Amino acid sequence: IKPYDGPVTVFRVTDRSMEGGTLPEDLGWSEVAERAVVVDVPGDHFTMVEPAQVEVLGRRLREQLDLAAAPAVAS
């Protein structure tokens, strides 16, 4: 299978106590995509969507969407 030829954004929690073993920083997404961008968000797998943490997740998501929508700068 050919990897996806674009970037993917991985929102990774900062509380990794629930992760079993050692996982790669991008959680393995670079194996299936050309580039994986890792964005840290507070909480763990379950608490990342609770009120205090979800606000940060929302801001990080908005930042990534804005970056993706920005016109490329010619060099």
Side-chain angles (χ1 to χ4, degrees):
I1 297 176
K2 182 180 174 187
Y4 172 62
D5 64 356
V8 295
T9 302
V10 180
F11 294 94
R12 186 165 186 189
V13 293
T14 54
D15 178 353
R16 298 180 182 150
S17 61
M18 295 179 70
E19 291 180 4
T22 304
L23 297 173
E25 181 65 22
D26 67 3
L27 302 175
W29 281 95
S30 60
E31 294 179 21
V32 295
E34 182 178 288
R35 185 169 65 93
V37 176
V38 178
V39 177
D40 287 330
V41 294
D44 62 30
H45 182 76
F46 297 104
T47 63
M48 68 186 283
V49 294
E50 289 183 356
Q53 288 89 338
V54 79
E55 291 178 17
V56 176
L57 174 61
R59 282 196 303 271
R60 299 287 186 273
L61 178 56
R62 171 52 50 204
E63 291 166 359
Q64 294 303 308
L65 290 170
D66 289 346
L67 285 171
V73 177
S75 34

